[in-house]
């Protein structure tokens, strides 16, 4: 096994008493002494700071100098409206496969003369090869390695970050700016992966320790590990790549078609012309046989990834499977996400999941489990 | 108090023992969110998986530390699994059992030996 990589914040994690675990080739903090439960609640009530430097950061520059050319080229790989993405705005999207699956999900921002993309840690090498292979003629693809990525999430995030840069207070959800913070040029987006208001920041490696120390020194900001990041995103109904979505799940099945704007759909101005378009656009019109849904177990036992779903407590054939599950500290109950045959996907339906040989009742539930708290 | 390599503690009370998990185990497991207790009256053998516990991270089992019969379970844990993190050596005992052979307690670790085990 290859040696684990470390982010520029490794020493801070150790000094803060983090429990480090291997994640996507990196040694990452899964929790700090506060523990997953309290870190989760801290983020919902005040603010949490996350090191997400393991994620991939990529710059896509148009060879022509015209960003529309880069956007048009990228639209061949991503079925969202990138041409219409205004400067200093960001959108959620995903790379698709020939058979309509999802190769990775991502954030893409228009930074004026180039596009800036954040992709999943476990997929970043494949993603960059995918970009190089398909966009070589029109774009220069640069992997950003001299910047770390941190996220500040929670209702106190705006006040906390404003003490370093007043500019960030005026941003709305999915706005991006370049802010000068502690003498460094920081790429800030008002977004995140917790369902809370907050920011993600691409910070020069040489400045990130200073900024992180400054932020966690504030009353109301605590460092948060990957454990709470997972329970926060699950409550927020957000997909984790490799678990809730992958190359075998399509945008329609995974309930992500909201990300495909009208302009890219049939009869849209730039309909189709992306990898897997026939398949994906057909499904949007005709529907699919299974859907991603939320599940709330009736009992206390968490229904975790891989557990099968059945229509009754005796049915032999399963009708679905859990893809993420655990305990939601904010909802104070076990919660899960999974795929279920469309005929059973109606909100409020009762189904059964088999835990340790026992069929346990659960209710199909709307996502997210906790209301999102974005600054629109 | 005696200890097992499975990070359980046993305390003699009258003619039976009270069983729980150590602080070390509770901390390693993380915040508990679910506890499923055995039925009172069942006979158990050393090593039987008799309690299911789930933390925010994963599911695991607590095994019977010795042969015997379950005579009482701590139902408070079903509603408040977090007690295990708050007071693992006290309020968060899991079950009481009557040992088949009480002398087997002598083979378990004392506190010093357990401390050495966990370093």
């Amino acid at each position: 096994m290859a040696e684990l990589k470390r982010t520029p914040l490794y020493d801070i994690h150790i000094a803060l008493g983090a429990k480090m675990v291997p994640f996507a080739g990196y040694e990452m903090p899964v929790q700090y002494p506060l523990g997953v439960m309290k870190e989760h609640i801290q983020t919902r009530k005040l603010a949490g700071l996350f090191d997400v430097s393991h994620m991939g950061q990529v710059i896509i520059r148009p060879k022509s100098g015209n960003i529309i050319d880069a956007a048009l080229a990228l639209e061949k790989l991503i079925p969202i409206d990138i041409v219409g993405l205004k400067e200093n705005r960001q959108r959620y999207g995903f790379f698709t496969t020939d058979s309509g699956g999802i190769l990775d999900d991502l954030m893409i921002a228009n930074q004026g003369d180039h596009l800036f993309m954040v992709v999943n840690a476990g997929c970043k090498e494949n993603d960059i090869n995918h970009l190089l292979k398909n966009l070589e003629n029109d774009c220069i693809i640069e992997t950003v390695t001299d910047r770390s990525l941190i996220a500040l999430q929670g209702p106190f995030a705006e006040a906390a970050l404003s003490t370093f840069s007043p500019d960030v207070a005026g941003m709305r959800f999915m706005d991006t700016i370049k802010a000068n913070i502690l003498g460094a040029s920081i790429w800030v987006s008002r977004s995140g992966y917790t369902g809370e208001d907050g920011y993600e920041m691409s910070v020069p490696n040489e400045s990130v320790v200073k900024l992180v120390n400054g932020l966690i020194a504030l009353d109301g900001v605590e460092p948060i590990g990957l454990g709470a990041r997972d329970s926060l995103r699950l409550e927020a109904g957000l997909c984790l790549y490799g678990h809730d979505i992958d190359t075998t799940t399509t945008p329609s099945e995974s309930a992500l078609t909201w990300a495909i704007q009208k302009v890219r759909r049939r009869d849209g101005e730039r309909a189709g012309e992306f990898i897997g378009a026939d398949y994906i656009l057909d499904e949007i019109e005709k529907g699919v046989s299974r859907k991603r849904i939320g599940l709330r177990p009736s009992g206390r036992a968490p229904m975790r990834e891989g557990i099968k779903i059945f229509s009754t407590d005796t049915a032999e054939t399963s009708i679905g499977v859990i893809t993420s599950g655990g305990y939601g500290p904010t909802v104070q109950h076990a919660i899960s996400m999974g795929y279920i045959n469309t005929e059973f996907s109606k909100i409020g339906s009762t189904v059964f999941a088999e835990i340790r040989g026992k069929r346990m009742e659960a209710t199909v539930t709307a996502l997210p489990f906790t209301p999102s708290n974005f600054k629109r | 108090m005696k200890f097992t390599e499975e990070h359980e503690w046993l305390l003699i009370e009258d003619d039976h023992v009270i069983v729980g998990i150590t602080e070390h185990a509770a901390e390693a497991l993380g915040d508990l969110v679910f506890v499923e207790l055995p039925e009172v009256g069942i006979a158990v053998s050393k090593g039987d998986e008799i309690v299911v516990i789930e933390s925010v991270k994963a599911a695991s089992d607590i095994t019977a530390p010795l042969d015997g019969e379950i005579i009482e379970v701590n139902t408070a844990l079903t509603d408040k699994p977090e007690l295990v993190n708050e007071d693992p050596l006290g309020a968060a005992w899991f079950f009481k059992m009557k040992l088949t052979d009480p002398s087997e307690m002598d083979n378990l670790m004392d506190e010093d030996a357990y401390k050495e085990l966990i370093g």
Side-chain angles (χ1 to χ4, degrees), chain A residues 19 31 37 300 304 356, chain B residues 31 52 54-55 57 79 81:
Chain A
K19 189 185 226 176
Q31 66 173 77
M37 196 87 85
R300 296 185 67 113
R304 297 186 191 269
R356 295 178 279 271
Chain B
D31 302 306
V52 177
E54 297 220 23
S55 74
K57 294 172 206 162
D79 290 329

Side-chain angles (χ1 to χ4, degrees), chain A residues 202-341:
Chain A
S202 174
V203 186
N205 288 338
E206 66 274 13
S207 306
V208 72
V209 168
K210 200 166 142 193
L211 177 57
V212 164
N213 279 331
L215 284 167
I216 58 178
L218 297 173
D219 279 339
V221 180
E222 293 287 341
I224 310 294
L226 293 180
R229 185 169 161 83
D230 192 52
S231 53
L232 286 158
R233 69 91 197 165
L234 177 58
E235 279 186 345
L238 299 170
C239 292
L240 175 59
Y241 191 82
H243 299 261
D244 308 303
I245 49 173
D246 59 30
T247 53
T248 70
T249 64
T250 65
S252 286
E253 289 172 339
S254 52
L256 294 175
T257 51
W258 57 267
I260 306 177
Q261 287 80 14
K262 279 204 179 111
V263 68
R264 304 300 312 279
R265 296 188 186 194
R266 293 236 161 97
D267 304 324
E269 208 177 302
R270 293 189 312 288
E273 299 197 9
F274 55 87
I275 296 176
D278 286 348
Y279 203 98
I280 289 168
L281 297 180
D282 259 7
E283 278 195 350
I284 291 177
E285 285 177 7
K286 294 177 186 160
V288 283
S289 61
R290 59 170 190 162
K291 289 236 160 206
R292 180 173 64 94
I293 44 103
L295 272 184
R296 187 184 165 98
S298 304
R300 296 185 67 113
M303 297 176 176
R304 297 186 191 269
E305 182 176 5
I307 284 178
K308 285 183 178 157
I309 307 169
F310 296 86
S311 57
T312 68
D313 58 358
T314 51
E316 283 178 19
T317 316
S318 80
I319 53 162
V321 65
I322 308 283
T323 51
S324 280
Y327 182 79
T330 314
V331 297
Q332 297 183 344
H333 204 273
I335 51 171
S336 297
M337 208 150 75
Y339 285 83
I340 196 167
N341 293 350

Side-chain angles (χ1 to χ4, degrees), chain A residues 192-203:
Chain A
Y193 190 49
T194 60
E196 292 302 317
D197 181 25
Y199 305 89
E200 288 199 350
M201 291 168 270
S202 174
V203 186

